[in-house]
Amino acid sequence: MQGLVQNTLDIGLMYTPEARPGLGLERLFDETLILVTTDRMRPWPDPGYVHVDWGTEFFHQFSLHFPDHPPPALSANVGWLGIQQLLTSGGSAYFPLRMVRTLLAKNRLHRVPDIPHFSVTAHMVYPLSRNDDFLQQALAGLRLLGREERRGQTMDTDISLSL
C-alpha cells in the first residue's frame, strides 16, 4: 500500500487492502486457504507449523479457530518461501489451494484432514489518476486472469475441497 500511495508501484495485488483516496480497488477472485503437510502422520497442532502471513483476514480466521495454538516457531511473509521451507524441512502451513494443487497431485504435500479451510479475497489496487495505455493493459490482463480463476474455481470447487 505504501508503494501505491507514494506512487512507486503501479499495481498492488493483496488480500486485505486499505481503501485510500485516489486508489481504485477491484475484487479479482476468492481464495481458499487449506492446511497442508509434508507428512500425513504429523499431528495437529503441529510443532513444525509455518505461519505464512496471508493478511489480517486470514490471521483473524485462524485465531478464531485455533485460539490456543502456540506461536509458530517459523513464519514467512511470502508464500513461495513458506512452500520452500515446508518442502525442505517438513511441517505444515496454510496455502492457497491454487498454489499447492500440483504438489498435492504429486503427493509432495497432503491436505490435513478435518481442519477448517479459510477464504480470503484477492484484490488489485491501482492509482485512479493514471490512465496510460500500459497500466490499462496490465489492469485488463489482471481482470482476465481473475475471471479465469473464478471460472476455474466453479468448475473444480467440489473436487478441490474434498482433497
Side-chain angles (χ1 to χ4, degrees):
M1 285 302 294
Q2 194 65 27
L4 289 164
V5 170
Q6 293 175 342
N7 209 21
T8 59
L9 284 179
D10 296 320
I11 301 171
L13 301 173
M14 58 195 76
Y15 291 128
T16 313
E18 301 170 22
R20 298 278 181 104
L23 294 178
L25 176 86
E26 291 184 36
R27 174 187 170 272
L28 290 174
F29 56 89
D30 294 325
E31 190 87 86
T32 300
L33 300 169
I34 63 170
L35 184 63
V36 296
T37 182
T38 53
D39 180 354
R40 292 180 200 258
M41 302 309 290
R42 285 187 88 96
W44 180 258
D46 178 2
Y49 173 71
V50 177
H51 184 81
V52 180
D53 182 2
W54 298 114
T56 56
E57 183 58 31
F58 167 73
F59 181 75
H60 176 72
Q61 291 179 60
F62 183 89
S63 298
L64 283 175
H65 281 87
F66 305 110
D68 299 324
H69 193 278
L74 188 62
S75 62
N77 63 353
V78 179
W80 65 267
L81 286 174
I83 286 179
Q84 293 308 309
Q85 176 63 34
L86 234 56
L87 294 175
T88 301
S89 301
S92 62
Y94 271 92
F95 289 102
L97 177 58
R98 68 180 171 79
M99 187 181 257
V100 295
R101 189 175 281 129
T102 301
L103 294 167
L104 290 167
K106 292 179 178 181
N107 287 318
R108 294 195 64 203
L109 292 176
H110 311 279
R111 183 159 185 190
V112 177
D114 304 318
I115 296 293
H117 63 272
F118 303 123
S119 295
V120 293
T121 301
H123 297 86
M124 68 176 175
V125 184
Y126 53 92
L128 293 171
S129 61
R130 280 195 47 202
N131 199 19
D132 60 78
D133 290 340
F134 295 114
L135 181 65
Q136 295 309 312
Q137 185 177 5
L139 293 174
L142 289 169
R143 288 179 186 117
L144 177 63
L145 290 172
R147 283 192 301 274
E148 289 176 3
E149 183 63 28
R150 287 192 304 273
R151 187 171 31 253
Q153 287 173 353
T154 59
M155 291 174 18
D156 70 356
T157 298
D158 294 333
I159 295 168
S160 60
L161 291 181
S162 65
L163 289 175

